[in-house]
Amino acid sequence: MAIEKANLLIVDDEANTLASLSRAFRLAGHEATVCDNAVKALELARSQSFDLIFSDVVMPGKDGLALLEDLRAQGITTPVVMMSGQAHIEMAVRATRLGAIDFLEKPISTDKLLVTVENTMRLQRLESENRQLRQRLGKHEIVWQGEAMRKIMAQIERVAASETRVCILGETGTGKELVARTLHDRSTRTSAPFITLNCAAVPAELIESELFGHEKGSFTGAAGRHLGKFEQAEHGTIFLDEIGDMPLQMQAKLLRVLEENEVERVGGEKPVRVDVRVLVATHRDLSAQVRDGKFRQDLFHRIYVFPLTLPSLRERREDIPALIEHFAAQVSAQNNWRPVPFTPEAVATLQAQSWPGNVRELRNMVERLMLLATEGVVDLETVRLALPATGSGAVIAGGSGSLADRVQGFEREVILSELRRSQYNVAAAARALDMERSHLYKKAEQLGIDLRAVRKEQDTN
């Protein structure tokens, strides 16, 4: 199993101790910053991010216990291990009460030091995973029931456990990051970090530092060392969203990282090896961008190993009822609301929309409808209030999509309108539309309208 690299701060007034400890840690693959007094150590802890601090207790001026108090008083939660050649039980008890995770008596063996680092890193990783699981509970589930997403899920299962680079394609709002998270969760790297960067959201002059990190003083405002996304994702997955918007100059540097598996921090003097799986996504046509000279062809071939194209919501309308149910439960849980059901007619009307913003837009609409539901239920009138243009022909006049999509939308609205006029009598609606009842059932099924559920809802009202 690969050793997890740690960034350590060692505080001790003895030069020999600093030299021996830092050498032992670096030989084991860790990074070590040394400091000979508590005042300087506090400055370093404020300006840089460390995984673990080793501090001597007895030092001239401010001692290690005072340093520990100052760290906690300023909200710095980095784990601290205290060391002393004059250890006694009262000192260890006080250190523990102040928040030290361990107390080591000098001289300390190299094996003991390395085991302490390994255990601390493992504990931090577990705590981080627990936080992520709590945050992600119910938020990152792919909801589907139709054929379009069945094919996507089969592809995810096929490629998830491999190291293959996946390029996730699709319109904005189709759930590209959700698919990337699923690929990570079902991979052998699931216990390691999942790190994301939206290439379109970071200014061109900062994206190199965000990806690869920087050293202290490498540019104005660089107060300390910063680990980039690639190093943060060590042994895990990095997801580069909207890679089609990455500047050309940065594309060349990314290509080198993919080829060499190493990054060089801004202002750094030597490359740093990284072990990450790279997933990318874009809503753009990368092939067209290559032809137009906006995207490097060599980088395209590096990332476009397994393309995975997500369908738009209008191409998977059969999933909309399940998505509405999922989002309604999610919104209720997040806001501590009572469940708010959606009537079949309301669901069918929502299925008739073109949804240019895809799943993201639908989720926002579900929350809006739940707020507008005055009778504890989202019915057709609630939907009409949120979508004032849902009358006959509105799907064709507004929205977006192909001619076939708009015609289907119009057919849905005509059938729903006729059902309302006939008080949900399917036979009467079929006669008015000059259709066989069996044909109406078949057509409604093709359009995602559950006539039996609509009629049942009407019968219970």
Side-chain angles (χ1 to χ4, degrees):
M1 180 178 177
I3 296 174
E4 189 168 359
K5 181 172 62 180
N7 187 21
L8 310 171
L9 173 62
I10 308 169
V11 190
D12 200 299
D13 62 315
E14 296 182 4
N16 290 337
T17 300
L18 292 177
S20 61
L21 292 185
S22 62
R23 182 174 182 275
F25 287 132
R26 286 167 180 155
L27 285 174
H30 303 299
E31 294 193 12
T33 300
V34 298
C35 175
D36 63 1
N37 65 84
V39 174
K40 180 62 176 178
L42 184 61
E43 293 177 4
L44 288 168
R46 279 195 299 232
S47 62
Q48 298 186 38
S49 176
F50 296 101
D51 296 309
L52 181 60
I53 299 173
F54 285 91
S55 176
D56 190 19
V57 176
V58 181
M59 294 185 290
K62 184 173 289 188
D63 65 17
L65 295 176
L67 169 62
L68 182 54
E69 279 189 290
D70 289 345
L71 289 169
R72 298 301 180 249
Q74 297 196 22
I76 299 171
T77 58
T78 306
V80 177
V81 173
M82 306 304 299
M83 308 178 296
S84 179
Q86 306 171 31
H88 51 79
I89 188 64
E90 292 82 2
M91 183 185 291
V93 169
R94 186 181 171 206
T96 302
R97 287 176 175 172
L98 289 172
I101 65 167
D102 206 346
F103 193 101
L104 305 180
E105 186 175 359
K106 294 180 178 180
I108 311 168
S109 70
T110 299
D111 288 343
K112 175 63 175 175
L113 287 169
L114 296 180
V115 167
T116 300
V117 173
E118 183 180 344
N119 289 341
T120 302
M121 295 297 290
R122 183 184 296 116
L123 178 61
Q124 287 183 289
R125 184 174 68 248
L126 289 173
E127 290 177 347
S128 175
E129 288 171 7
N130 286 336
R131 285 194 300 270
Q132 291 178 16
L133 285 172
R134 287 194 295 269
Q135 293 170 357
R136 290 164 54 185
L137 185 61
K139 292 183 179 180
H140 304 300
E141 177 186 353
I142 297 180
V143 177
W144 63 280
Q145 59 185 24
E147 180 64 16
M149 284 304 296
R150 185 195 67 76
K151 294 178 180 178
I152 294 296
M153 296 306 296
Q155 290 179 298
I156 289 174
E157 290 295 337
R158 189 176 303 120
V159 76
S162 71
E163 289 296 303
T164 301
R165 291 176 186 144
V166 180
C167 183
I168 307 168
L169 308 169
E171 297 178 6
T172 299
T174 49
K176 294 187 287 294
E177 182 175 344
L178 180 56
V179 168
R181 285 184 179 274
T182 303
L183 286 167
H184 171 74
D185 290 342
R186 300 186 183 187
S187 75
T188 58
R189 297 174 177 267
T190 184
S191 61
F194 175 80
I195 303 295
T196 69
L197 179 73
N198 188 322
C199 300
V202 181
E205 61 273 15
L206 295 179
I207 192 168
E208 181 177 4
S209 172
E210 282 297 303
L211 279 175
F212 308 146
H214 62 251
E215 297 288 354
K216 180 180 180 181
S218 56
F219 55 84
T220 303
R225 172 183 291 167
H226 168 72
L227 299 185
K229 300 293 187 181
F230 270 91
E231 287 189 82
Q232 293 174 34
E234 182 69 7
H235 304 310
T237 303
I238 184 169
F239 173 54
L240 303 179
D241 198 6
E242 298 302 350
I243 195 169
D245 293 283
M246 180 178 283
L248 275 169
Q249 182 180 3
M250 195 64 225
Q251 291 177 27
K253 295 180 179 180
L254 175 61
L255 177 65
R256 181 180 177 277
V257 173
L258 298 182
E259 291 175 339
E260 305 295 335
N261 292 318
E262 58 184 28
V263 300
E264 188 167 324
R265 302 180 191 129
V266 177
E269 297 180 353
K270 61 179 181 179
V272 179
R273 297 287 297 177
V274 290
D275 171 29
V276 298
R277 184 185 187 184
V278 178
L279 305 176
V280 303
T282 182
H283 73 283
R284 300 189 183 278
D285 184 340
L286 286 183
S287 298
Q289 289 205 242
V290 170
R291 290 194 301 271
D292 295 340
K294 297 179 180 178
F295 200 86
R296 293 179 62 102
Q297 187 173 37
D298 45 8
L299 179 59
F300 173 80
H301 290 305
R302 283 284 180 179
I303 63 173
Y304 204 80
V305 180
F306 191 93
L308 205 164
T309 303
L310 304 187
S312 65
L313 189 54
R314 60 184 174 274
E315 295 172 307
R316 48 177 294 211
R317 294 183 192 272
E318 66 273 20
D319 293 340
I320 289 179
L323 286 165
I324 291 172
E325 182 180 355
H326 172 74
F327 291 142
Q330 190 181 88
V331 170
S332 295
Q334 289 174 351
N335 293 281
N336 198 26
W337 294 345
R338 290 182 178 178
V340 180
F342 284 62
T343 67
E345 188 177 13
V347 171
T349 303
L350 291 171
Q351 281 185 288
Q353 306 308 305
S354 58
W355 300 112
N358 292 295
V359 178
R360 185 181 300 150
E361 182 184 4
L362 176 63
R363 196 270 181 206
N364 294 338
M365 176 57 68
V366 167
E367 184 167 3
R368 188 183 313 157
L369 289 169
M370 292 173 72
L371 285 166
L372 292 172
T374 56
E375 300 298 327
V377 63
V378 174
D379 56 16
L380 181 60
E381 293 305 316
T382 313
V383 174
R384 284 175 171 168
L385 182 62
L387 296 171
T390 56
S392 181
V395 177
I396 288 182
S400 62
S402 66
L403 177 61
D405 289 334
R406 298 188 185 206
V407 169
Q408 283 189 351
F410 179 67
E411 288 179 330
R412 286 188 195 88
E413 188 57 39
V414 168
I415 290 173
L416 288 170
S417 178
E418 194 56 51
L419 284 167
R420 289 192 290 270
R421 272 197 291 270
S422 64
Q423 296 184 333
Y424 302 91
N425 185 312
V426 177
R431 285 194 300 271
L433 294 170
D434 195 21
M435 301 172 68
E436 294 290 336
R437 186 165 63 174
S438 61
H439 186 197
L440 177 56
Y441 273 114
K442 184 176 180 180
K443 187 67 176 177
E445 183 180 1
Q446 292 173 350
L447 298 173
I449 302 173
D450 189 341
L451 291 178
R452 292 178 177 83
V454 170
R455 186 170 60 182
K456 183 178 179 182
E457 173 71 15
Q458 176 63 20
D459 292 341
T460 58
N461 289 337

